[in-house]
């Protein structure tokens, strides 16, 4: 099932249970998978039209009236375009608004550079009070949605819209503030977020053959990062690789290195090398940006060689 | 209980001068221009209870021109939300009364504002919330004339009309000045009434927005807009710095200016002597 379908069905469940849960769109309900909910929840679904700033502040106002609004748009418009509204109307004002950005990074594919946010995590990570969450698969998203809804404060959800292969199994226990250890290892820790988590798990056997026993940790919540798990694992393996669908400046790599600033541990990044995106399908974009599985393997070897 | 609104507006004006004078600097012009409006809202129009500031179904006021915080604090203190002595803590480290309105710090403040344009959208969200709760509240909001240059104001104007939020009454403090110069010279917002009407709002123009009787009548008239399926904009033609001639004479210079305690006391004396 597509991630947006999972997201929409979870929202429907939340709205069914609580009439104060509501969703605001900026003319991208179809893209977010929520268009079909308008008829079913006419008093909980609101389309603001192409006016993301208004949408964000209206949500803050609704929150002050006891509502639990979710706002949604493509990642660049749900982050950099409404940066000040998220900062002031939402986070500074301590408003309980969930911000959903769809099509993160290269997953914007044919919408190209204008719609391809490589910087959203960096933009929002510097705003106090904003939690940043990026789901890996449908299982994790389904487990997270009620938790996010109950969390009393702003959360930015970096939502891959299309279908993703499962990483987690049914019965998975989600903790918003705890990273998930997917595989134990001794030689290297790979911290990974989003859709690339599966790619990292795919290359684990190849790394093993090359003599690298990799530990894999999914950082689903990039802010606040689970410092304890990051530091403990990095100290144990002595080498770090970060893998993300975001500029290597400001995102997961930066968050991990901030946690490890007082440690003397080599770290290598796979991610967008500080440049804008362009039109193309994901395999093409992964290739031109150095984000393929081969790039992950090469970066892992480099990290271990730096020990 | 009915209040002498003219006296109340003088009290608010004097407290604005006292607290900004104590500090030595502040957004004096745009605070003094709205003293009459705040007197009418907090002492006549709004269904509120200072003893129960979070009362359910209460009317709300969102001061989107958040820099008029000191004027709102003066109104709240005079209405009994907190001790008037607290007004002298304005903008001191650790105060509950910051330059711009903060709902998490100040009793009686319904929304955090200060980044211009945003408070207006927030007020629209509050009005939508009240409609959904069907609690009968009226949501009042105040925007500046300079603030009306923000695109977000017009996004929210469109949405409020489209959603038929006739429980929303907005005011424009049309004092004709902004930080850099006259509004008309910087980026003219005229014709303002026509703009709001074109956006689908009821529009009421008040010739003298510093005359409490005119403001009071306009608010009563605006309240009749409930049922019209349109939000209402009340354009208040005001004087920036109203009540203190030397401040008025500063023009655009009075947006944020210095004032000594002695100057404030002298201004208060003059205001008190007026009929």
């Amino acid at each position: 099932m597509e991630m947006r379908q999972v997201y929409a069905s979870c929202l429907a469940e939340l709205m069914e249970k609580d009439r104060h849960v509501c969703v605001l769109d900026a003319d991208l309900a179809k893209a977010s998978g929520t268009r079909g909910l308008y008829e079913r929840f006419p008093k909980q679904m609101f389309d603001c039209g192409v006016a993301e700033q208004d949408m964000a502040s209206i949500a803050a106002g609704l929150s002050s009236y006891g509502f639990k609004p979710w706002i949604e748009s493509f990642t660049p418009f749900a982050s950099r375009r409404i940066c000040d509204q998220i900062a002031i109307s939402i986070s500074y004002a301590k408003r309980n608004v969930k911000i959903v950005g769809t099509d993160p990074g290269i997953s914007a594919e044919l919408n190209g550079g204008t719609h391809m946010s490589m910087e959203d995590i960096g933009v929002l990570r510097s705003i106090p009070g904003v939690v940043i969450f990026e789901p890996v698969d449908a299982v994790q998203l389904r487990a997270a949605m009620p938790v996010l809804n109950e969390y009393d404060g702003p959360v930015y959800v970096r939502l891959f819209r299309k279908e993703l292969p499962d990483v987690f199994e049914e019965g998975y226990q989600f903790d918003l503030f705890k990273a998930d250890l997917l595989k134990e290892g001794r030689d290297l820790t790979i911290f990974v977020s989003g859709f690339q988590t599966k790619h990292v798990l795919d290359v684990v056997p190849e790394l093993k053959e090359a003599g690298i026993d990799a530990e894999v940790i999914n950082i689903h919540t990039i802010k606040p990062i689970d410092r304890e798990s990051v530091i403990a694992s990095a100290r144990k393996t002595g080498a770090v690789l970060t893998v993300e669908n975001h500029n290597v400046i400001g995102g997961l790599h930066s968050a991990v290195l901030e946690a490890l600033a007082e440690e003397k541990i080599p770290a290598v990044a796979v991610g967008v090398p500080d440049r804008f995106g362009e039109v193309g399908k994901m395999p093409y974009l992964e290739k031109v940006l150095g984000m393929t599985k081969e790039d992950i393997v090469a970066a892992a070897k480099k990290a271990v060689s730096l020990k | 209980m009915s209040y002498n609104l003219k006296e109340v507006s003088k009290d608010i004006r004097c407290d604005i001068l006292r607290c900004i004078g104590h500090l030595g600097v502040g957004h004096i012009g745009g605070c003094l221009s709205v003293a009459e409006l705040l007197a009418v809202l907090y002492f006549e129009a709004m269904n509120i209870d200072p003893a129960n500031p979070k009362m359910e179904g209460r009317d709300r006021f969102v001061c989107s021109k958040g820099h008029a915080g000191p004027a709102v604090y003066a109104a709240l203190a005079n209405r009994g939300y907190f001790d008037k002595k607290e007004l002298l803590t304005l903008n001191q480290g650790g105060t509950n009364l910051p330059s711009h309105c903060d709902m998490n710090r100040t009793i009686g403040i319904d929304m955090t504002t200060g980044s211009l344009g945003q408070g207006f959208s927030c007020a629209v969200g509050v009005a939508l919330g009240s409609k959904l709760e069907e609690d009968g509240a009226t949501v009042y909001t105040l925007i500046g004339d300079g603030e009306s240059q923000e695109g977000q104001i017009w996004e929210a104007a469109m949405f409020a009309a489209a959603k038929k939020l006739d429980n929303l009454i907005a005011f424009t403090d049309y004092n004709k000045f902004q930080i850099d110069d006259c509004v008309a010279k910087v980026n003219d917002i005229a014709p303002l009434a026509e703009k709001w009407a074109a956006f689908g709002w009821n529009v009421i123009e008040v010739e003298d927005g510093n005359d409490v009787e005119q403001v009071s009548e306009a608010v009563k008239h605006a309240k009749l807009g409930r049922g019209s399926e349109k939000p209402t904009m009340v354009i208040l033609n005001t004087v920036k710095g109203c009540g203190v001639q030397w401040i008025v004479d500063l023009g655009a210079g009075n947006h944020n200016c210095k004032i000594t305690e002695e100057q404030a006391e002298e201004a208060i004396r003059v205001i008190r002597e007026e009929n």
Side-chain angles (χ1 to χ4, degrees):
Chain A
M1 194 188 280
E2 285 188 341
M3 291 290 275
R4 61 178 165 179
Q5 289 174 291
V6 174
Y7 160 72
S9 71
C10 290
L11 273 182
E13 279 174 34
L14 295 169
M15 286 195 284
E16 189 76 53
K17 281 187 198 144
D18 181 355
R19 70 180 179 87
H20 286 112
V21 176
C22 56
V23 178
L24 283 83
D25 283 294
D27 200 33
L28 282 174
K30 283 183 185 165
S32 305
T34 54
R35 188 74 190 99
L37 301 178
Y38 272 76
E39 257 186 53
R40 191 169 152 203
F41 300 100
K43 291 192 164 182
Q44 288 161 273
M45 300 288 303
F46 304 98
D47 204 325
C48 301
V50 190
E52 296 83 4
Q53 301 167 152
D54 196 32
M55 169 178 73
S57 297
I58 287 174
L62 279 166
S63 154
S64 83
Y65 229 86
F67 289 84
K68 297 173 183 170
W70 290 66
I71 63 174
E72 45 188 38
S73 185
F74 285 144
T75 38
F77 314 135
S79 59
R80 64 176 188 235
R81 177 147 198 147
I82 57 168
C83 181
D84 193 42
Q85 283 74 16
I86 293 175
I88 301 304
S89 289
I90 296 175
S91 199
Y92 181 72
K94 295 189 167 67
R95 296 299 83 214
N96 183 13
V97 178
K98 305 299 174 292
I99 305 141
V100 180
T102 64
D103 274 6
I106 62 170
S107 74
E109 293 193 315
L110 303 189
N111 270 328
T114 55
H115 288 51
M116 205 165 276
S117 59
M118 308 303 199
E119 70 298 298
D120 52 326
I121 296 173
V123 166
L124 298 181
R125 212 163 61 86
S126 59
I127 298 173
V130 179
V131 172
I132 300 173
F133 167 70
E134 180 167 12
V136 161
D137 68 2
V139 177
Q140 190 183 58
L141 177 61
R142 208 173 278 125
M145 286 294 287
V147 177
L148 301 178
N149 191 60
E150 279 313 302
Y151 176 78
D152 186 13
V155 181
Y156 176 69
V157 182
R158 198 169 194 252
L159 184 66
F160 195 97
R161 280 199 295 157
K162 295 154 209 160
E163 189 157 357
L164 283 175
D166 281 350
V167 167
F168 293 97
E169 294 172 359
E170 293 303 327
Y172 159 68
Q173 294 294 310
F174 175 72
D175 183 334
L176 179 57
F177 300 113
K178 196 82 193 145
D180 284 312
L181 173 65
L182 299 177
K183 182 199 163 292
E184 286 193 79
R186 290 173 304 175
D187 303 323
L188 165 76
T189 306
I190 306 178
F191 296 107
V192 58
S193 56
F195 81 89
Q196 287 152 304
T197 305
K198 183 70 169 68
H199 294 192
V200 167
L201 291 172
D202 288 346
V203 301
V204 161
E206 189 180 339
L207 290 174
K208 186 83 180 170
E209 276 176 29
I212 298 171
D213 180 15
E215 180 147 304
V216 180
I217 294 181
N218 166 231
I219 306 285
H220 53 67
T221 299
I222 296 138
K223 186 185 178 184
I225 197 165
D226 178 1
R227 282 177 60 90
E228 204 178 305
S229 298
V230 169
I231 292 170
S233 177
R235 278 183 184 165
K236 185 181 87 174
T237 62
V240 163
L241 169 65
T242 59
V243 181
E244 64 190 310
N245 172 27
H246 186 277
N247 193 336
V248 293
I249 297 172
L252 177 69
H253 187 65
S254 298
V256 166
L257 290 200
E258 284 161 20
L260 296 175
E262 292 178 12
E263 311 290 326
K264 291 176 180 167
I265 299 171
V268 175
V270 168
V272 179
D274 195 26
R275 52 162 285 191
F276 288 109
E278 59 181 286
V279 175
K281 299 295 272 184
M282 282 176 65
Y284 166 80
L285 293 163
E286 283 175 321
K287 204 166 179 183
V288 295
L289 295 169
M291 295 163 65
T292 62
K293 288 181 186 175
E294 291 72 32
D295 292 314
I296 294 171
V297 170
K301 289 177 181 169
K302 184 179 174 189
V304 172
S305 76
L306 292 171
K307 278 168 99 168
Chain B
M1 182 175 178
S2 69
Y3 296 87
N4 181 330
L5 295 178
K6 190 165 182 187
E7 286 305 310
V8 170
S9 62
K10 276 189 187 179
D11 291 343
I12 291 172
R13 185 163 277 120
C14 290
D15 280 328
I16 292 166
L17 288 161
R18 197 169 283 122
C19 66
I20 296 180
H22 183 68
L23 190 72
V25 65
H27 294 109
I28 303 177
C31 282
L32 293 175
S33 60
V34 295
E36 284 73 19
L37 171 67
L38 295 172
V40 169
L41 290 180
Y42 281 96
F43 288 81
E44 184 178 69
M46 286 170 72
N47 171 31
I48 47 172
D49 179 4
N52 184 10
K54 299 277 182 192
M55 180 177 76
E56 272 193 39
R58 70 187 183 280
D59 290 344
R60 314 277 179 128
F61 174 62
V62 179
C63 186
S64 188
K65 47 169 281 183
H67 53 281
V72 185
Y73 309 148
L76 289 170
N78 276 284
R79 189 69 172 82
Y81 279 82
F82 47 81
D83 198 310
K84 283 177 75 167
K85 279 184 209 152
E86 198 176 335
L87 292 174
L88 296 184
T89 70
L90 178 75
N91 280 343
Q92 311 281 357
T95 185
N96 287 321
L97 307 178
S99 255
H100 301 84
C101 298
D102 186 335
M103 66 190 293
N104 296 304
R105 283 187 182 269
T106 314
I107 295 166
I109 294 291
D110 286 323
M111 185 52 68
T112 297
T113 54
S115 185
L116 294 178
Q118 294 187 30
F120 190 59
S121 290
C122 292
V124 169
V126 173
L128 177 61
S130 172
K131 279 275 183 188
L132 294 169
E133 294 289 27
E134 299 177 357
D135 62 5
T138 301
V139 178
Y140 298 92
T141 184
L142 168 65
I143 64 174
D145 46 9
E147 182 181 12
S148 304
Q149 293 157 347
E150 288 280 6
Q152 188 169 353
I153 292 289
W154 304 100
E155 291 182 3
M158 213 184 303
F159 181 90
K163 302 297 175 193
K164 302 176 177 166
L165 299 179
D166 58 8
N167 58 340
L168 178 65
I169 299 176
F171 302 90
T172 300
D173 177 20
Y174 202 5
N175 59 43
K176 320 293 187 298
F177 284 103
Q178 57 190 111
I179 295 175
D180 279 350
D181 207 333
C182 301
V183 175
K185 284 189 190 167
V186 173
N187 187 7
D188 201 359
I189 61 173
L192 195 54
E194 287 86 339
K195 282 191 176 71
W196 286 99
F199 272 76
W201 286 54
N202 300 314
V203 183
I204 298 169
E205 287 189 85
V206 177
E207 193 182 334
D208 183 356
N210 295 117
D211 177 334
V212 275
E213 286 175 19
Q214 288 187 37
V215 177
S216 171
E217 281 308 306
V219 173
K220 284 175 189 148
H221 184 188
K223 279 185 169 183
L224 299 176
R226 191 182 280 269
S228 69
E229 299 196 333
K230 287 179 174 187
T232 298
M233 168 54 74
V234 181
I235 298 171
L236 301 168
N237 287 289
T238 57
V239 174
K240 198 163 185 175
C242 182
V244 187
Q245 196 53 51
W246 69 267
I247 295 177
V248 174
D249 293 341
L250 291 174
N254 73 24
H255 179 82
N256 189 332
C257 65
K258 289 180 179 172
I259 179 170
T260 65
E261 277 192 300
E262 294 70 32
Q263 286 174 315
E265 285 308 319
E266 173 60 16
I268 290 167
R269 192 185 61 74
V270 172
I271 290 168
R272 289 292 179 209
E273 281 175 2
E274 284 170 5
N275 288 321

